[in-house]
């Protein structure tokens, strides 16, 4: 008994520095996480909870003499019976289905080209990234001029190249062409961001892997499939998820160029939400739309991530 007490005391003394190191590491981790947690709480959690609470009321945009009442899930039930909401959801789904391959494919191809040792490649990187930092309002004004019917520059070029066989297209006034036009200008404006992400991913692949593949006799196509594509798996996941989220937020192009027309062919969920909240002054109803949109985007992003992991992309 007398011999064991000094041994236990020595063990306790030796354990104190280890506990101090663990506590110090815990404080450091909490300190590093705290800014992100605080910002996410302020700009994501709190707004969502406020939107959800507003969606459970008949809150108008402008205060009225009658008090605001708690109406439960009435706004959500009205949305499920609203044909225009389902039309806007279908339109934004079509937009997402088209913009993903067009925008991501264009960004990937451009990044592969500009990753090569070409003359003036830094100049071309800046040139291709320029639309991404240009205001969407300015882009819409420029493309609105190009889309003018029937004498816009785009119709004139198509007429010249076809020898007059293709008639002028009403890009923004024809329901069959309006969403395609929105996809075209949106992909052109935003693909520079994905291009930069892909360039960063390409630069993160070690050159030793390409050298080893060359020594093994792999040609350019085999190096692309067995070195480049596996090395870009995290980049593919990030680009697809972020592009999907941006696609569901489609608003500015529609508000400036088509206002949801013609015949609601370009109406989107965000445009419908803003119109309900500010033009029709139904703030509670618009909040319900925003809550449903948030949940839809969250579910799609999670499913997309799981599918990409399942197929090892």
């Amino acid at each position: 008994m007398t011999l064991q007490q000094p041994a236990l005391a020595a063990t306790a003394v030796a354990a104190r520095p280890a506990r101090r190191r663990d506590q110090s590491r815990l404080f450091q981790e909490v300190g590093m996480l705290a800014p992100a947690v605080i910002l996410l709480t302020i700009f994501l959690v709190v707004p969502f909870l406020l939107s959800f609470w507003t969606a459970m009321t008949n809150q108008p945009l402008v205060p009225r003499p009658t008090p605001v009442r708690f109406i439960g899930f009435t706004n959500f039930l009205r949305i499920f019976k609203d044909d225009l909401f389902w039309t806007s959801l279908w339109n934004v789904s079509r937009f997402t289905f088209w913009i993903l391959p067009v925008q991501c494919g264009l960004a990937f191809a451009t990044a592969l080209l500009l990753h090569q040792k070409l003359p003036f490649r830094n100049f071309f990187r800046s040139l291709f990234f320029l639309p991404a930092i240009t205001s969407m309002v300015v882009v819409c004004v420029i493309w609105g001029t190009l889309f003018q019917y029937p004498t816009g520059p785009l119709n004139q070029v198509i007429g010249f190249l076809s020898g007059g066989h293709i008639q002028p297209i009403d890009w923004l006034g024809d329901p069959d062409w309006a969403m395609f036009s929105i996809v075209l200008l949106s992909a052109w404006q935003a693909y520079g961001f994905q291009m930069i992400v892909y360039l960063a991913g390409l630069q993160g692949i070690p050159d030793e892997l390409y050298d080893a593949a060359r020594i093994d006799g792999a040609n350019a196509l085999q190096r692309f499939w067995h070195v480049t594509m596996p090395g870009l798996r995290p980049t593919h996941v990030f680009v697809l998820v972020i592009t999907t989220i941006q696609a569901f937020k489609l608003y500015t192009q529609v508000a400036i160029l088509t206002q949801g027309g013609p015949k609601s062919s370009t109406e989107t969920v965000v445009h419908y939400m803003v119109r309900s909240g500010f033009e029709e002054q139904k703030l509670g109803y618009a909040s319900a739309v925003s809550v449903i949109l948030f949940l839809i985007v969250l579910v799609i992003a999670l499913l997309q991530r799981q599918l990409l992991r399942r197929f090892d992309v």
Side-chain angles (χ1 to χ4, degrees), residues 147-150 155 167-178 181 262:
F147 284 142
Q148 279 185 355
Y149 176 80
N155 277 325
Q167 297 299 314
I169 299 171
D170 192 358
W171 297 96
L172 299 174
D174 188 336
D176 295 330
W177 284 97
S181 305

Side-chain angles (χ1 to χ4, degrees), residues 37 46 78 131 153 161 180 216 233 251 285 309:
V37 172
V46 173
R78 286 176 53 202
L161 295 177
F180 173 78
D216 290 341
R233 282 172 189 160
Y251 171 73
Y285 188 75
R309 281 184 176 177

Side-chain angles (χ1 to χ4, degrees), residues 10-248:
T11 304
V13 170
R16 287 173 188 169
R19 284 201 299 269
R20 291 197 192 99
R21 285 196 297 270
D22 293 339
Q23 290 176 351
S24 176
R25 182 179 298 173
L26 178 62
F27 288 140
Q28 290 178 356
E29 292 174 351
V30 171
M32 288 187 288
L33 286 174
V37 172
I38 292 172
L39 290 176
L40 283 173
T41 303
I42 294 175
F43 294 106
L44 185 64
V45 178
V46 173
F48 176 76
L49 293 178
L50 288 176
S51 296
F52 185 73
W53 169 252
T54 307
M56 307 287 279
T57 68
N58 64 343
Q59 175 74 51
L61 179 64
V62 180
R64 297 173 180 170
T66 55
V68 176
R69 291 185 297 107
F70 179 80
I71 58 175
F73 291 93
T74 303
N75 283 326
F76 294 98
L77 296 176
R78 286 176 53 202
I79 289 175
F80 289 115
K81 298 176 183 177
D82 190 341
D83 292 337
L84 191 53
F85 171 78
W86 291 110
T87 301
S88 64
L89 187 59
W90 167 247
N91 288 335
V92 83
S93 301
R94 283 194 303 147
F95 177 80
T96 306
F97 181 77
W98 290 343
I99 201 72
L100 279 177
V102 174
Q103 187 169 317
C104 297
L106 186 61
F108 187 40
T110 309
L112 287 175
L113 178 63
L114 296 181
H115 187 60
Q116 308 302 317
K117 295 180 180 178
L118 300 174
F120 307 110
R121 66 175 182 175
N122 288 334
F123 168 75
F124 286 110
R125 286 177 181 179
S126 303
L127 183 66
F128 290 136
F129 185 67
L130 190 60
I133 59 174
T134 305
S135 168
M136 180 57 82
V137 176
V138 176
V139 172
C140 289
V141 171
I142 295 172
W143 278 85
T145 305
L146 296 176
F147 284 142
Q148 279 185 355
Y149 176 80
T151 57
L154 197 55
N155 277 325
Q156 292 185 5
V157 170
I158 292 176
F160 174 77
L161 295 177
S162 66
H165 293 288
I166 299 180
Q167 297 299 314
I169 299 171
D170 192 358
W171 297 96
L172 299 174
D174 188 336
D176 295 330
W177 284 97
M179 184 56 80
F180 173 78
S181 305
I182 298 293
V183 171
L184 193 62
L185 80 90
S186 301
W188 179 84
Q189 191 271 341
Y191 87 98
F193 173 76
Q194 283 85 349
M195 180 195 72
I196 293 297
V197 175
Y198 272 124
L199 277 172
L202 289 170
Q203 291 172 357
I205 301 175
D207 292 335
E208 291 78 6
L209 295 178
Y210 291 103
D211 295 336
R214 288 191 186 91
I215 293 174
D216 290 341
N219 57 33
L221 184 60
Q222 289 171 329
R223 292 197 299 274
F224 173 76
W225 281 113
H226 297 293
V227 178
T228 304
M229 290 300 284
L232 289 177
R233 282 172 189 160
T235 309
H236 287 310
V237 174
F238 175 76
V239 167
L240 288 177
V241 171
I242 201 70
T243 306
T244 302
I245 294 173
Q246 290 177 344
F248 270 84

